[in-house]
Short mmCIF file of all heavy atoms in Angstrom, two decimals:
data_model
loop_
_atom_site.label_atom_id
_atom_site.label_comp_id
_atom_site.label_asym_id
_atom_site.label_seq_id
_atom_site.Cartn_x
_atom_site.Cartn_y
_atom_site.Cartn_z
N GLU A 1 20.04 1.55 -8.05
CA GLU A 1 21.06 0.79 -8.78
C GLU A 1 22.46 1.12 -8.27
O GLU A 1 23.30 0.23 -8.05
CB GLU A 1 20.97 1.07 -10.29
CG GLU A 1 19.70 0.55 -10.94
CD GLU A 1 18.48 1.44 -10.67
OE1 GLU A 1 18.63 2.65 -10.39
OE2 GLU A 1 17.36 0.90 -10.70
N ILE A 2 22.73 2.41 -8.08
CA ILE A 2 24.05 2.81 -7.59
C ILE A 2 24.25 2.33 -6.16
O ILE A 2 25.32 1.82 -5.81
CB ILE A 2 24.24 4.34 -7.71
CG1 ILE A 2 24.26 4.75 -9.19
CG2 ILE A 2 25.51 4.80 -6.99
CD1 ILE A 2 24.29 6.26 -9.41
N ALA A 3 23.23 2.45 -5.33
CA ALA A 3 23.34 2.01 -3.93
C ALA A 3 23.63 0.51 -3.86
O ALA A 3 24.45 0.08 -3.04
CB ALA A 3 22.06 2.34 -3.18
N VAL A 4 22.99 -0.29 -4.72
CA VAL A 4 23.24 -1.73 -4.75
C VAL A 4 24.68 -2.00 -5.20
O VAL A 4 25.40 -2.80 -4.60
CB VAL A 4 22.21 -2.45 -5.66
CG1 VAL A 4 22.62 -3.89 -5.92
CG2 VAL A 4 20.83 -2.39 -5.04
N ALA A 5 25.11 -1.33 -6.27
CA ALA A 5 26.47 -1.53 -6.79
C ALA A 5 27.52 -1.18 -5.75
O ALA A 5 28.57 -1.83 -5.67
CB ALA A 5 26.68 -0.70 -8.06
N CYS A 6 27.24 -0.17 -4.93
CA CYS A 6 28.19 0.28 -3.93
C CYS A 6 27.93 -0.32 -2.55
O CYS A 6 28.54 0.10 -1.56
CB CYS A 6 28.19 1.81 -3.86
SG CYS A 6 28.72 2.55 -5.42
N GLN A 7 26.99 -1.25 -2.48
CA GLN A 7 26.62 -1.94 -1.24
C GLN A 7 26.27 -0.95 -0.13
O GLN A 7 26.70 -1.08 1.01
CB GLN A 7 27.73 -2.89 -0.81
CG GLN A 7 28.00 -3.98 -1.83
CD GLN A 7 29.08 -4.93 -1.40
OE1 GLN A 7 29.46 -4.98 -0.24
NE2 GLN A 7 29.58 -5.73 -2.34
N ALA A 8 25.49 0.07 -0.48
CA ALA A 8 25.15 1.11 0.49
C ALA A 8 23.64 1.26 0.70
O ALA A 8 23.20 2.19 1.34
CB ALA A 8 25.74 2.44 0.03
N GLU A 9 22.84 0.33 0.17
CA GLU A 9 21.38 0.52 0.24
C GLU A 9 20.84 0.61 1.67
O GLU A 9 19.88 1.33 1.92
CB GLU A 9 20.62 -0.51 -0.60
CG GLU A 9 20.82 -1.96 -0.23
CD GLU A 9 21.82 -2.69 -1.09
OE1 GLU A 9 23.03 -2.51 -0.88
OE2 GLU A 9 21.39 -3.49 -1.93
N SER A 10 21.46 -0.07 2.63
CA SER A 10 20.98 0.00 4.02
C SER A 10 21.24 1.37 4.63
O SER A 10 20.62 1.74 5.62
CB SER A 10 21.63 -1.09 4.87
OG SER A 10 23.03 -0.86 4.96
N ARG A 11 22.12 2.15 4.04
CA ARG A 11 22.44 3.48 4.56
C ARG A 11 21.71 4.59 3.83
O ARG A 11 21.89 5.76 4.13
CB ARG A 11 23.94 3.72 4.48
CG ARG A 11 24.71 2.84 5.44
CD ARG A 11 26.18 2.84 5.09
NE ARG A 11 26.93 1.95 5.93
CZ ARG A 11 26.96 0.63 5.79
NH1 ARG A 11 26.25 0.05 4.86
NH2 ARG A 11 27.68 -0.11 6.58
N CYS A 12 20.93 4.24 2.83
CA CYS A 12 20.25 5.25 2.00
C CYS A 12 18.78 5.34 2.39
O CYS A 12 17.92 4.66 1.82
CB CYS A 12 20.39 4.90 0.52
SG CYS A 12 22.10 4.86 -0.05
N ALA A 13 18.47 6.19 3.34
CA ALA A 13 17.10 6.33 3.83
C ALA A 13 16.16 6.92 2.78
O ALA A 13 14.95 6.71 2.84
CB ALA A 13 17.08 7.21 5.08
N ASN A 14 16.72 7.63 1.81
CA ASN A 14 15.87 8.29 0.82
C ASN A 14 15.34 7.33 -0.25
O ASN A 14 14.44 7.68 -1.01
CB ASN A 14 16.63 9.43 0.14
CG ASN A 14 17.82 8.93 -0.67
OD1 ASN A 14 18.54 8.04 -0.21
ND2 ASN A 14 18.04 9.50 -1.84
N LEU A 15 15.89 6.12 -0.33
CA LEU A 15 15.43 5.17 -1.35
C LEU A 15 14.14 4.51 -0.88
O LEU A 15 14.04 4.05 0.25
CB LEU A 15 16.50 4.11 -1.61
CG LEU A 15 17.81 4.61 -2.20
CD1 LEU A 15 18.79 3.46 -2.36
CD2 LEU A 15 17.58 5.30 -3.53
N SER A 16 13.18 4.45 -1.77
CA SER A 16 11.92 3.80 -1.39
C SER A 16 12.12 2.30 -1.37
O SER A 16 12.88 1.74 -2.13
CB SER A 16 10.82 4.19 -2.39
OG SER A 16 11.17 3.73 -3.67
N ARG A 17 11.42 1.68 -0.48
CA ARG A 17 11.47 0.23 -0.35
C ARG A 17 10.50 -0.38 -1.35
O ARG A 17 9.53 0.26 -1.76
CB ARG A 17 11.08 -0.20 1.08
CG ARG A 17 11.92 0.46 2.16
CD ARG A 17 13.34 -0.11 2.13
NE ARG A 17 14.17 0.52 3.16
CZ ARG A 17 15.28 1.15 2.91
NH1 ARG A 17 15.71 1.30 1.69
NH2 ARG A 17 15.99 1.67 3.87
N PRO A 18 10.70 -1.64 -1.73
CA PRO A 18 9.75 -2.28 -2.64
C PRO A 18 8.34 -2.24 -2.03
O PRO A 18 8.16 -2.49 -0.84
CB PRO A 18 10.26 -3.71 -2.74
CG PRO A 18 11.69 -3.66 -2.31
CD PRO A 18 11.80 -2.49 -1.36
N ALA A 19 7.37 -1.89 -2.83
CA ALA A 19 6.00 -1.74 -2.34
C ALA A 19 5.35 -3.11 -2.13
O ALA A 19 5.55 -4.04 -2.90
CB ALA A 19 5.18 -0.94 -3.35
N ALA A 20 4.58 -3.19 -1.07
CA ALA A 20 3.77 -4.39 -0.82
C ALA A 20 2.55 -4.32 -1.73
O ALA A 20 2.15 -3.23 -2.15
CB ALA A 20 3.35 -4.42 0.64
N PRO A 21 1.96 -5.45 -2.03
CA PRO A 21 0.75 -5.39 -2.86
C PRO A 21 -0.35 -4.65 -2.09
O PRO A 21 -0.36 -4.64 -0.86
CB PRO A 21 0.38 -6.86 -3.07
CG PRO A 21 1.15 -7.63 -2.06
CD PRO A 21 2.33 -6.80 -1.66
N PRO A 22 -1.28 -4.03 -2.82
CA PRO A 22 -2.33 -3.28 -2.12
C PRO A 22 -3.26 -4.20 -1.33
O PRO A 22 -3.42 -5.37 -1.67
CB PRO A 22 -3.10 -2.60 -3.27
CG PRO A 22 -2.81 -3.43 -4.47
CD PRO A 22 -1.44 -4.00 -4.26
N VAL A 23 -3.83 -3.66 -0.29
CA VAL A 23 -4.86 -4.38 0.47
C VAL A 23 -6.10 -4.41 -0.41
O VAL A 23 -6.54 -3.39 -0.93
CB VAL A 23 -5.16 -3.67 1.80
CG1 VAL A 23 -6.34 -4.28 2.50
CG2 VAL A 23 -3.93 -3.67 2.68
N GLU A 24 -6.67 -5.60 -0.61
CA GLU A 24 -7.87 -5.77 -1.43
C GLU A 24 -9.08 -5.73 -0.51
O GLU A 24 -9.16 -6.49 0.44
CB GLU A 24 -7.83 -7.13 -2.16
CG GLU A 24 -6.63 -7.33 -3.05
CD GLU A 24 -6.79 -6.68 -4.41
OE1 GLU A 24 -7.94 -6.47 -4.83
OE2 GLU A 24 -5.76 -6.39 -5.03
N LEU A 25 -10.00 -4.83 -0.78
CA LEU A 25 -11.20 -4.69 0.03
C LEU A 25 -12.42 -4.68 -0.88
O LEU A 25 -12.47 -3.90 -1.83
CB LEU A 25 -11.14 -3.39 0.84
CG LEU A 25 -12.33 -3.17 1.76
CD1 LEU A 25 -11.83 -2.82 3.15
CD2 LEU A 25 -13.22 -2.08 1.23
N SER A 26 -13.38 -5.56 -0.61
CA SER A 26 -14.66 -5.56 -1.34
C SER A 26 -15.75 -5.21 -0.36
O SER A 26 -15.87 -5.84 0.69
CB SER A 26 -14.93 -6.94 -1.96
OG SER A 26 -13.97 -7.24 -2.93
N LEU A 27 -16.54 -4.21 -0.70
CA LEU A 27 -17.64 -3.79 0.15
C LEU A 27 -18.96 -4.10 -0.54
O LEU A 27 -19.28 -3.52 -1.57
CB LEU A 27 -17.56 -2.28 0.46
CG LEU A 27 -18.72 -1.72 1.30
CD1 LEU A 27 -18.73 -2.35 2.69
CD2 LEU A 27 -18.63 -0.21 1.38
N TYR A 28 -19.69 -5.06 -0.01
CA TYR A 28 -21.04 -5.36 -0.47
C TYR A 28 -21.97 -4.54 0.42
O TYR A 28 -22.00 -4.73 1.63
CB TYR A 28 -21.33 -6.86 -0.32
CG TYR A 28 -20.56 -7.69 -1.31
CD1 TYR A 28 -19.19 -7.92 -1.15
CD2 TYR A 28 -21.20 -8.24 -2.41
CE1 TYR A 28 -18.49 -8.67 -2.07
CE2 TYR A 28 -20.50 -9.00 -3.33
CZ TYR A 28 -19.14 -9.21 -3.15
OH TYR A 28 -18.45 -9.96 -4.07
N TYR A 29 -22.68 -3.60 -0.17
CA TYR A 29 -23.47 -2.67 0.62
C TYR A 29 -24.83 -2.44 -0.01
O TYR A 29 -25.09 -2.86 -1.13
CB TYR A 29 -22.71 -1.34 0.77
CG TYR A 29 -22.56 -0.55 -0.51
CD1 TYR A 29 -23.39 0.53 -0.79
CD2 TYR A 29 -21.61 -0.89 -1.46
CE1 TYR A 29 -23.26 1.24 -1.97
CE2 TYR A 29 -21.47 -0.18 -2.63
CZ TYR A 29 -22.30 0.89 -2.88
OH TYR A 29 -22.18 1.59 -4.06
N GLU A 30 -25.68 -1.75 0.72
CA GLU A 30 -27.01 -1.38 0.26
C GLU A 30 -27.08 0.13 0.23
O GLU A 30 -26.65 0.80 1.16
CB GLU A 30 -28.07 -1.93 1.21
CG GLU A 30 -27.98 -3.42 1.41
CD GLU A 30 -28.70 -3.88 2.66
OE1 GLU A 30 -28.96 -3.06 3.57
OE2 GLU A 30 -29.02 -5.07 2.73
N SER A 31 -27.66 0.68 -0.82
CA SER A 31 -27.65 2.14 -1.00
C SER A 31 -28.48 2.90 0.04
O SER A 31 -28.25 4.08 0.24
CB SER A 31 -28.11 2.51 -2.41
OG SER A 31 -29.46 2.17 -2.60
N LEU A 32 -29.40 2.25 0.70
CA LEU A 32 -30.19 2.95 1.74
C LEU A 32 -29.98 2.39 3.14
O LEU A 32 -30.69 2.78 4.07
CB LEU A 32 -31.69 2.90 1.40
CG LEU A 32 -32.16 3.80 0.27
CD1 LEU A 32 -33.67 3.69 0.09
CD2 LEU A 32 -31.77 5.24 0.51
N CYS A 33 -29.03 1.51 3.31
CA CYS A 33 -28.75 0.95 4.64
C CYS A 33 -27.99 1.99 5.46
O CYS A 33 -26.90 2.42 5.07
CB CYS A 33 -27.93 -0.33 4.50
SG CYS A 33 -27.33 -0.97 6.08
N PRO A 34 -28.52 2.41 6.60
CA PRO A 34 -27.85 3.44 7.40
C PRO A 34 -26.43 3.05 7.82
O PRO A 34 -25.52 3.88 7.75
CB PRO A 34 -28.76 3.61 8.62
CG PRO A 34 -30.10 3.13 8.17
CD PRO A 34 -29.83 2.04 7.16
N ALA A 35 -26.21 1.82 8.23
CA ALA A 35 -24.87 1.39 8.66
C ALA A 35 -23.90 1.36 7.48
O ALA A 35 -22.75 1.78 7.60
CB ALA A 35 -24.94 0.03 9.34
N CYS A 36 -24.36 0.87 6.33
CA CYS A 36 -23.51 0.83 5.13
C CYS A 36 -23.12 2.24 4.72
O CYS A 36 -21.96 2.52 4.40
CB CYS A 36 -24.23 0.16 3.97
SG CYS A 36 -24.58 -1.59 4.21
N ARG A 37 -24.10 3.14 4.72
CA ARG A 37 -23.85 4.51 4.30
C ARG A 37 -22.88 5.20 5.26
O ARG A 37 -21.98 5.91 4.83
CB ARG A 37 -25.16 5.27 4.24
CG ARG A 37 -26.10 4.67 3.18
CD ARG A 37 -27.43 5.29 3.20
NE ARG A 37 -27.31 6.46 2.33
CZ ARG A 37 -28.21 7.41 2.27
NH1 ARG A 37 -29.27 7.36 3.03
NH2 ARG A 37 -28.04 8.42 1.46
N MET A 38 -23.06 4.98 6.54
CA MET A 38 -22.18 5.60 7.53
C MET A 38 -20.74 5.09 7.33
O MET A 38 -19.79 5.88 7.33
CB MET A 38 -22.64 5.30 8.95
CG MET A 38 -21.83 6.02 10.01
SD MET A 38 -22.46 5.79 11.68
CE MET A 38 -21.95 4.13 12.00
#
């Protein structure tokens, strides 16, 4: 908030950037399939 008010956000390396949404991964697997297990 202070960095934005003072127009200094590009100079503040310690501020975290807005997070991207998580990568969505669905794994359809078989409990005894060697490749799935590996």
Side-chain angles (χ1 to χ4, degrees):
E1 293 78 24
I2 294 174
V4 168
C6 297
Q7 299 181 15
E9 59 262 77
S10 65
R11 291 166 184 77
C12 299
N14 64 318
L15 296 178
S16 62
R17 305 289 179 238
V23 172
E24 302 278 336
L25 182 131
S26 295
L27 177 64
Y28 289 74
Y29 68 101
E30 304 162 340
S31 66
L32 286 182
C33 171
C36 294
R37 297 174 87 193
M38 185 175 75

